[in-house]
Every structure is written in C-alpha cells, then in structure tokens.
Amino acid sequence: MADNARAKKLADLIREVVAQKLQRGIKDPRLGSHVTITDTRVTGDLREATVFYTVYGDDEERAGAAAGLESAKGMLRSAVGKAAGIKFTPTLTFVPDALPENARTIEDLLDRARDLDARVRQEASGKDYAGEADPYRKPGEDDDNGAAEGGASA
C-alpha cells in the first residue's frame, strides 16, 4: 500500500498529463477546448484513478465529451504511463464533476433568500412592534396581571 503523499503526487501528475493531452494530443472534435479536468483521485494501492471533468455546453456536448473521453481512455492511460514511469499504470475512470451544477443551485437558493429578505424588509418598513419597545421586566415591577403597569406609569 502506497502512502498518501505518493498517491497525491500521482494524482497531480495524471491531472496534468490528461489535461495537456486533451489540449494538444487528441484530435477528437468532441473533446474540444470546452472540456476541463477539475480533479483527480488515486486509490491507495495506485491501481485506479478517477478523473473529474466539466464540460461547458448543453447536454448533447456533455454526452459527446463523455463518449470521446471513453474512446481516448487507452491513449490517455499510455501517456500517463510514459510520464509517470511506474510499474503499473492506473486505470482511468472519467466522471463528470457536479461542481458547476451545485454552484448554480446554491446561487439560485441565495438569490431566492435575498428576494425573500428584501420582501420582508419592505413589509416591515414603517411598522411598529406588537408589544412594548422594551419587552423585558425591570427590577421592582410587580407581575400582578397589569397592576404594576398602572402604578408605574402614574
């Protein structure tokens, strides 16, 4: 079992090699400049690598990029093997990164919260409190169903 530092180092190398190869070495039109490698993770035994990627475009471009990556997997693995110089080159698995969709969802939720806050702020402007301005009891006041209120204000 390899240590975590070695797995991290190999993951960084795989990310760089795959990104460079996608940019310069592969002529597949489905893998144009709209595919970005976001992260790479390698298992502790250095046998399997998961490569996360994003595709800027619609669902058709995402499906085309996934098919292109799957067909170029062997060429990318051999490029990683040459660059790494290790006994066993890890198998590559390509997974679409959900980060852009998650970020978009969070932004939508934050926009809704800002709109609701603005609406509440607008409705609350010019309104008075339901009770007194100071709702706390003070020392020396009685709590006999309002008897202290009449005596304290006189």
Side-chain angles (χ1 to χ4, degrees):
M1 184 114 168
D3 60 357
N4 287 337
R6 186 170 179 196
K8 174 76 172 129
K9 196 178 200 183
L10 182 61
D12 290 342
L13 177 72
I14 290 171
R15 185 178 66 238
E16 290 174 18
V17 169
V18 169
Q20 287 176 356
K21 200 70 171 164
L22 286 176
Q23 191 175 35
R24 292 188 213 123
I26 297 179
K27 308 267 189 270
D28 193 341
R30 299 174 292 186
L31 299 175
S33 61
H34 57 277
V35 176
T36 304
I37 304 299
T38 56
D39 193 18
T40 306
R41 296 187 186 144
V42 178
T43 58
D45 60 357
L46 307 178
R47 295 285 183 169
E48 298 174 14
T50 305
V51 179
F52 295 93
Y53 67 95
T54 59
V55 179
Y56 297 106
D58 57 1
D59 290 335
E60 184 179 320
E61 289 176 345
R62 287 186 192 118
L69 286 170
E70 198 61 35
S71 69
K73 186 186 289 189
M75 186 185 322
L76 293 171
R77 185 174 179 213
S78 65
V80 167
K82 288 177 188 174
I86 55 179
K87 183 177 181 180
F88 180 81
T89 303
T91 58
L92 302 178
T93 304
F94 292 96
V95 176
D97 197 353
L99 185 67
E101 288 82 18
N102 291 344
R104 193 173 308 118
T105 302
I106 290 171
E107 284 296 323
D108 291 344
L109 291 173
L110 287 174
D111 287 341
R112 283 182 42 204
R114 283 187 204 105
D115 291 343
L116 288 173
D117 285 348
R119 194 175 324 144
V120 167
R121 200 174 306 115
Q122 182 181 9
E123 288 178 10
S125 66
K127 304 288 182 180
D128 292 332
Y129 290 104
E132 298 176 13
D134 187 10
Y136 299 104
R137 287 190 221 160
K138 295 178 181 52
E141 290 184 358
D142 290 338
D143 192 20
D144 294 341
N145 295 332
E149 291 178 8
S153 62

